[in-house]
Amino acid sequence: MTRSLAGALLANITGAALLLSAAFAQTSEEQTDTNDEAATAAPTIPSQAGLDAWEAAYKVFSHPRCVNCHTADEYPRWSGPSYGEARVHGMNVQRGPAGFGMAGMQCITCHGNENSAKLHGPPGNDVWHLAPVEMAWWEKSSAEICEQIKDPERNGGRTLEEVATHIRDDGLVLWGWDPGPGREPAPGSAQETYALIVKWAAEGAPCPLP
């Protein structure tokens, strides 16, 4: 075999090897990209412990002591076993510009600093008012309230830690567990609900399917 022929053959072999190497590299990169896309697309399985914690907390949020003042319209509600059929608050009570009632019919007209001692008498707190409309829970599902609680634009600009602390420490929220004679308190306690929100957040704050 002449030198020129051997050289050409070697060059062909080398070129083929380079092409084969490049093909393997491209295939490997494509496989890596495919694996990355699959990993990204794979759904995250929600924590069952987190879902359980949320559902326990939802029983508080959806209780009449909470939802009656978390409405999306201008009117608080009267609902719960002591009221029979749910209905709009009597006396044409309305939200007003800041949630404290209308001029001449503000919440403090009837609601003092403390609960009335009379059965079904007006409940009271230092600052009685409706929740902002973006925090409406009335007739909303567990999934809807769950997503809302996580949204700073609809939870008062709070982190989940601040949501938990608000539930535990805010005086008007605490009233839900001490609503006065003739009313059913919210389930559990403020401390228990605080712990539920902390656990839910630690588990990734999963929400149930709509």
Side-chain angles (χ1 to χ4, degrees), residues 84 126 129 200:
D126 291 339
H129 62 90
W200 171 60

Side-chain angles (χ1 to χ4, degrees), residues 66-156:
C66 297
V67 296
N68 283 351
C69 287
H70 278 260
T71 61
D73 58 21
E74 293 301 300
Y75 306 96
R77 297 300 195 273
W78 283 347
S79 73
S82 60
Y83 291 97
E85 183 179 353
R87 57 193 186 278
V88 170
H89 193 301
M91 289 81 76
N92 195 33
V93 169
Q94 298 180 42
R95 174 184 299 279
F100 290 86
M102 300 291 286
M105 182 60 83
Q106 293 191 324
C107 300
I108 58 174
T109 303
C110 296
H111 297 276
N113 294 334
E114 299 179 351
N115 292 327
S116 169
K118 296 181 179 180
L119 186 66
H120 303 301
N125 181 265
D126 291 339
V127 282
W128 196 268
H129 62 90
L130 286 179
V133 292
E134 61 266 23
M135 298 182 189
W137 300 343
W138 177 260
E139 295 185 334
K140 286 193 175 182
S141 69
S142 176
E144 289 173 319
I145 295 178
C146 183
E147 293 294 348
Q148 182 201 58
I149 290 292
K150 296 194 295 183
D151 184 356
E153 293 186 2
R154 296 183 292 160
N155 73 8

Side-chain angles (χ1 to χ4, degrees), residues 46-65:
S47 159
Q48 187 59 52
L51 289 172
D52 291 344
W54 166 255
E55 284 304 322
Y58 172 68
K59 291 179 181 178
V60 176
F61 296 140
S62 60
H63 191 273
R65 296 292 76 77

